[in-house]
Amino acid sequence: MSALRTLDDLLAEGVSGRRVLVRADLNVPLDKQTGAITDDGRIRAVLPTLGALVEAGAKVVVCSHLGRPKGAPDPQFSLSPVAGRLGELLGAPVHFATDTVGESARSTVADLADGQVALLENLRFNAGETSKDEAERGAFADQLAAFGDAYVDDAFGAVHRKHASVFDVPARLPHVAGRLVLREVEVLSKLTGAPERPYVVVLGGSKVSDKLAVIEALLPTVDRLLIGGGMCFTFLKAQGLEVGTSLLEKDMVDTCRNLLERADGKILLPVDVVVADAFAPDAAHDTVRVDGIPSHRLGLDVGPETVAGFSAALSQAKTIFWNGPMGVFEMPAFAAGTRGIAEAITKADAFSVVGGGDSAAAVRALGLDESSFGHISTGGGASLEYLEGKTLPGIAALEN
């Protein structure tokens, strides 16, 4: 990987009075009933970059996506509540444009004074942002690029997407990596380079298919691979065990069997699980051995013996990567596995990386001290693809 130009390089050139277009990842979870932000971690993550630009007197134009609108305005995915929260955290009002590149965006950007911040409406309200058609994407990128004299990518959670604001805009403006993107790349390159050993990876989440590529990439390089979450049941099925009505990818059973055969004992699976009568927070539940899962019940968390075994493996580690919860942590009855593993990671004398997405949300939802982890990534999919060795379009665009 060639060296990226950084925010410090841009600041050294001087940004006072210049318009700086910042691609941020403000894709925060919102409460379905109230529309309130339930976790502002991604907003906080971009503050070091925005704060430095504001302090240097730049006119800062922030753009981001939120959720998956279908290329047209959709009020439930508006960035308006994000503008409010961002203003609170910056300690100054954020001027909000009610469209992406239309009249409101043009006038909002034109009216910015030095050291002020504007936020454009959800980029995905414009079909050009995610279009597979290069001409359509390029036309939208032209309109976005017109709002900046320089471009900063600080949206690590989106660098694996070949989208207009991530891939095409940097070709049109002088471009640098923001503080967050730079830190993410530095941390993840430690894991793909020569990690200190033992190197232990914990993978959870629902589907094996989502993690297959990263398992394939990591198996030769890790010392232990601990597998929990919904995906563990496809592995247990591959061992010939009954998994009841637990989450199961039948078409992945043979693949899991093959992985177990090739893993040479590196893969550690649960030995006990918490099973319930239904997928509900108040469902009757018990802990059973994995060879005793009743046919009418489903597994929703790993059990205490599994937590103890996984914790023992983690206590030996010098490098840890964790992606994916161990169970349905959003329901208190099924959060103990995720909490236990997270706490074991914080106690290990190791450099630890939490791989974004649900794992990062779990750390915050369970009230754990974020500073007790070496690094909490803001990009679940992006961090996995980086570890798989894939070329990430947003990083490639910054290198050019």
Side-chain angles (χ1 to χ4, degrees), residues 129-210:
E129 167 68 358
T130 59
S131 179
K132 299 275 194 288
D133 182 305
E134 299 216 353
E136 184 181 15
R137 223 176 49 235
F140 182 53
D142 286 339
Q143 292 176 289
L144 275 177
F147 293 143
D149 302 306
Y151 169 86
V152 178
D153 190 344
D154 216 26
F156 184 74
V159 293
H160 59 314
R161 306 285 186 205
K162 195 174 182 179
H163 291 170
S165 64
V166 175
F167 182 75
D168 302 277
V169 171
R172 290 157 168 77
L173 290 172
H175 49 267
V176 302
R179 296 256 157 92
L180 173 65
V181 163
L182 194 66
R183 169 78 177 143
E184 296 270 13
V185 170
E186 284 172 352
V187 165
L188 291 171
S189 60
K190 268 191 192 180
L191 301 185
T192 53
E196 199 180 341
R197 297 190 175 278
Y199 176 23
V200 178
V201 171
V202 188
L203 292 179
S206 53
K207 294 182 174 177
V208 179
S209 51
D210 290 344

Side-chain angles (χ1 to χ4, degrees), residues 331-342:
M331 299 179 189
F334 312 111
T338 302
R339 177 184 292 283
I341 294 311

